[in-house]
Amino acid sequence: MSVIRSSSRLPAKREAITLTTADGFDLVGELALPADSEPEATLILLHPLPTHGGMMDSHVYRKAAWRLPALANIAVLRFNTRGTESQQGKSEGEFDDAVAERFDVAAAVEFAEFRDLPNVWIVGWSFGTDLALKYGREPGVEGVILLSPPLRYTTEDELRAWAEEDRSVVALIPEHDDYLQPPEAKERFAAVPHAEVVPVDNGKHLWVGQAETVLDEIVARVAPRRSPLPTTWDGPMEKGDTSAYKNQTVAAYGGFLPKPE
């Protein structure tokens, strides 16, 4: 048995993919599947704000793709939204303030449907939570999990629309978030009576040092029999390449939103 460290990459079938949007742009992505079995669930990951460092390689999402196929039998689909660049490459198009990004979300959901991926959940982080809330009510999506939702681009009507949906809404709210802390989050999400608001002690917007906590909370919802995640692994394991982010820039940790006024 070996301890699973921060840079550990566990076995998976990893495939570079291209998502083509309805308005004609190609988006860079990756699908990570369990190495030797069919997945039990699927995560579509929507990353933080690209104009401030968010991308498909942001640390929580990188670790999800490196660990969850092996530890939880979960398929992980991550991609760069339009105009976003990371170590994996740059997607076509330009950032559009959460407007044209609706085509990006739809392209990811359609890809999951085309590949017959099961039990599809959307996970959004920061800016990605706004995309999930605005555009995640797609056929076949079981629910959304929101990491550090700022509710910056989501209108009140868009939030209330989830009250009419028979889908799970889970919001992980860091205790020390810069934009939306647990007391206010409970007030805002009261518009969706079935929403589960989960305060995370000592958490911050970028989840530095708490990726494992986030992954455990995600797995507890989408594949509960695989929770809690093990901290050791009895099998092949390699050190993932994080050299592009070795200076621990904001980009490596997921980006941020402009400071609230």
Side-chain angles (χ1 to χ4, degrees):
M1 287 282 186
S2 300
V3 174
I4 301 170
R5 303 192 183 279
S6 178
S7 60
S8 298
R9 188 165 77 159
L10 305 183
K13 292 185 290 189
R14 306 180 198 282
E15 175 187 350
I17 62 172
T18 300
L19 305 178
T20 300
T21 66
D23 60 341
F25 293 109
D26 286 343
L27 311 179
V28 171
E30 180 198 73
L31 177 64
L33 296 167
D36 301 311
S37 61
E38 294 298 316
E40 299 174 22
T42 304
L43 302 180
I44 295 175
L45 307 183
L46 305 179
H47 60 69
L49 193 66
T51 56
H52 288 69
M55 57 182 169
M56 65 180 281
D57 290 327
S58 296
H59 79 112
V60 173
Y61 286 179
R62 189 172 64 236
K63 290 175 181 176
W66 285 2
R67 299 181 191 180
L68 296 188
L71 296 181
N73 212 41
I74 290 174
V76 178
L77 194 167
R78 56 186 176 133
F79 66 99
N80 285 328
T81 57
R82 59 189 56 213
T84 302
E85 184 173 12
S86 75
Q87 190 176 14
Q88 311 297 326
K90 184 175 183 178
S91 291
E92 294 178 350
E94 296 180 355
F95 175 72
D96 196 37
D97 282 305
V99 179
E101 282 82 1
R102 68 184 182 274
F103 298 119
D104 304 354
V105 177
V109 175
E110 289 169 5
F111 180 91
E113 181 182 11
F114 177 75
R115 293 290 292 266
D116 291 323
L117 296 173
N119 190 20
V120 175
W121 288 68
I122 292 177
V123 179
W125 177 6
S126 192
F127 171 72
T129 66
D130 283 308
L131 298 185
L133 289 170
K134 290 169 74 69
Y135 309 125
R137 292 180 290 114
E138 289 273 351
V141 174
E142 299 290 333
V144 293
I145 299 176
L146 313 172
L147 314 179
S148 312
L151 299 180
R152 182 168 183 253
Y153 293 90
T154 305
T155 68
E156 291 300 319
D157 285 345
E158 288 169 331
L159 182 59
R160 281 195 297 269
W162 286 88
E164 307 302 320
E165 293 286 331
D166 185 23
R167 312 174 199 242
S168 296
V169 177
V170 181
L172 303 187
I173 311 297
E175 179 184 7
H176 303 299
D177 193 272
D178 296 314
Y179 310 99
L180 186 70
Q181 294 183 357
E184 183 185 358
K186 290 178 180 178
E187 293 179 6
R188 297 289 301 277
F189 279 98
V192 186
H194 67 279
E196 181 185 3
V197 177
V198 184
V200 179
D201 292 344
N202 299 314
K204 294 185 179 180
H205 193 73
L206 300 185
W207 302 105
V208 177
Q210 290 196 310
E212 289 73 17
T213 297
V214 171
L215 297 184
D216 266 326
E217 294 285 356
I218 291 172
V219 172
R221 273 75 185 179
V222 306
R225 73 187 189 92
R226 303 285 183 173
S227 176
L229 292 171
T231 58
T232 59
W233 175 253
D234 184 15
M237 180 169 56
E238 63 183 18
K239 184 175 182 180
D241 180 14
T242 59
S243 60
Y245 312 116
K246 63 184 178 181
N247 62 347
Q248 297 187 352
T249 60
V250 166
Y253 287 116
F256 53 88
L257 289 168
K259 288 294 182 183
E261 295 179 0

